[in-house]
C-alpha cells in the first residue's frame, strides 16, 4: 500500500513551505491525488518526480566526504537522477579533481581529517569563485562552520539527510551549462 503524505508532510519532506506545495499543485507539476476534499501525495511518486525534475541536463557533481558510505549514498542518488558523479575521500583529492575538471556542483563534508571542509572551501573559491558548493555537516553551529561562512555563500545540508534533500540541493544550486 502506498505511503500517502499530507500537504504539510510533503512540504516538510521537500523542505519547502506549504504555500510552495499549493503553488505546485495549481501548476499541475507535482504528482498528487484528491482524497475527499484534501490533497494527498504518494511518497514513491514524489521521489520519482524529484528524480525526473532535479535537472534537465546531466551534470558532473563532485562529492567530498571521508566516509565511504556517504560517498556511496550520494553516488547512488545522483546517478539514479542521471548525473555523473566523482567522489573524493579527502580535501586534497577534491582539489586535484577541481583543477582538472569542471563541476556543476560540489557536496563538501565540513569535518574531515587533515584538511577541513572550511579550508577546502577557501581553496575552491580561489580556484573557481562561482562554483556552487553545498556543505554537508552534522555540526551547523561549529567553529568550522563559522570559518566556512567567511568564504562566501554556499548551501548547507544538515546530517542526517535523505534523498529529497540531496535532489533539492542539486535543483537549487546547480548551474546549467557546466558539466
Amino acid at each position: 500500500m502506498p505511503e500517502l503524505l499530507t500537504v504539510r508532510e510533503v512540504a516538510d519532506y521537500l523542505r519547502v513551505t506549504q504555500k510552495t506545495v499549493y503553488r505546485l499543485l495549481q501548476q499541475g507539476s507535482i504528482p498528487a491525488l484528491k482524497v475527499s476534499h484534501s490533497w494527498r501525495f504518494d511518497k514513491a511518486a514524489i521521489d520519482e518526480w524529484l528524480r525526473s525534475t532535479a535537472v534537465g541536463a546531466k551534470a558532473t557533481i563532485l562529492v567530498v566526504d571521508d566516509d565511504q558510505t556517504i560517498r556511496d549514498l550520494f553516488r547512488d542518488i545522483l546517478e539514479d537522477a542521471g548525473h555523473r558523479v566523482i567522489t573524493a575521500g579527502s580535501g586534497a583529492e577534491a582539489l586535484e579533481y577541481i583543477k582538472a575538471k569542471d563541476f556543476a556542483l560540489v557536496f563538501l563534508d565540513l569535518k574531515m581529517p587533515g584538511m577541513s571542509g572550511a579550508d577546502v572551501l577557501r581553496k575552491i573559491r580561489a580556484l573557481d569563485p562561482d562554483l556552487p558548493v553545498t556543505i554537508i555537516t552534522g555540526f551547523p553551529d561549529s567553529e568550522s562552520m563559522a570559518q566556512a561562512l567567511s568564504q562566501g555563500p554556499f548551501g548547507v545540508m544538515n546530517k542526517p539527510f535523505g534523498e529529497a534533500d540531496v535532489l533539492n540541493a542539486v535543483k537549487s544550486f546547480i548551474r546549467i551549462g557546466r558539466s
Side-chain angles (χ1 to χ4, degrees):
M1 181 160 178
E3 180 181 353
L4 296 179
L5 305 173
T6 65
V7 170
R8 171 174 278 202
E9 291 169 334
V10 82
D12 290 344
Y13 183 64
L14 297 175
R15 294 193 180 195
V16 299
T17 65
Q18 289 182 46
K19 185 177 179 178
T20 299
V21 173
Y22 282 115
R23 190 179 79 252
L24 292 168
L25 283 166
Q26 287 175 336
Q27 296 169 351
S29 61
I30 189 169
L33 36 120
K34 197 107 182 203
V35 177
S36 187
H37 295 292
S38 302
W39 288 104
R40 294 292 182 258
F41 305 84
D42 179 354
K43 186 173 180 288
I46 293 296
D47 288 339
E48 183 56 36
W49 172 74
L50 282 169
R51 277 187 209 92
S52 68
T53 61
V55 170
K58 289 184 181 183
T60 302
I61 299 172
L62 177 62
V63 177
V64 187
D65 199 301
D66 59 308
D67 185 333
Q68 180 68 46
T69 304
I70 299 291
R71 293 193 308 266
D72 291 344
L73 174 68
F74 271 90
R75 179 183 300 281
D76 291 345
I77 292 168
L78 295 169
E79 286 182 348
D80 284 352
H83 301 292
R84 290 179 297 274
V85 179
I86 295 176
T87 63
S90 70
E93 184 182 9
L95 293 169
E96 290 304 314
Y97 283 128
I98 290 170
K99 289 175 188 172
K101 185 155 186 56
D102 194 28
F103 292 95
L105 174 65
V106 175
F107 285 100
L108 175 62
D109 187 20
L110 186 60
K111 252 185 138 45
M112 295 185 293
M115 192 183 316
S116 74
D119 290 335
V120 176
L121 179 59
R122 182 176 46 75
K123 292 180 180 192
I124 288 172
R125 291 290 184 244
L127 293 169
D128 185 348
D130 298 322
L131 177 59
V133 175
T134 294
I135 298 286
I136 311 163
T137 185
F139 308 94
D141 299 322
S142 67
E143 177 62 30
S144 294
M145 180 59 88
Q147 290 173 4
L149 284 169
S150 71
Q151 303 304 314
F154 55 84
V156 177
M157 198 163 59
N158 291 321
K159 292 179 181 176
F161 55 84
E163 181 175 351
D165 300 314
V166 174
L167 295 174
N168 278 332
V170 171
K171 190 173 183 181
S172 297
F173 294 104
I174 207 155
R175 289 184 285 177
I176 303 301
R178 288 186 77 139
S179 55

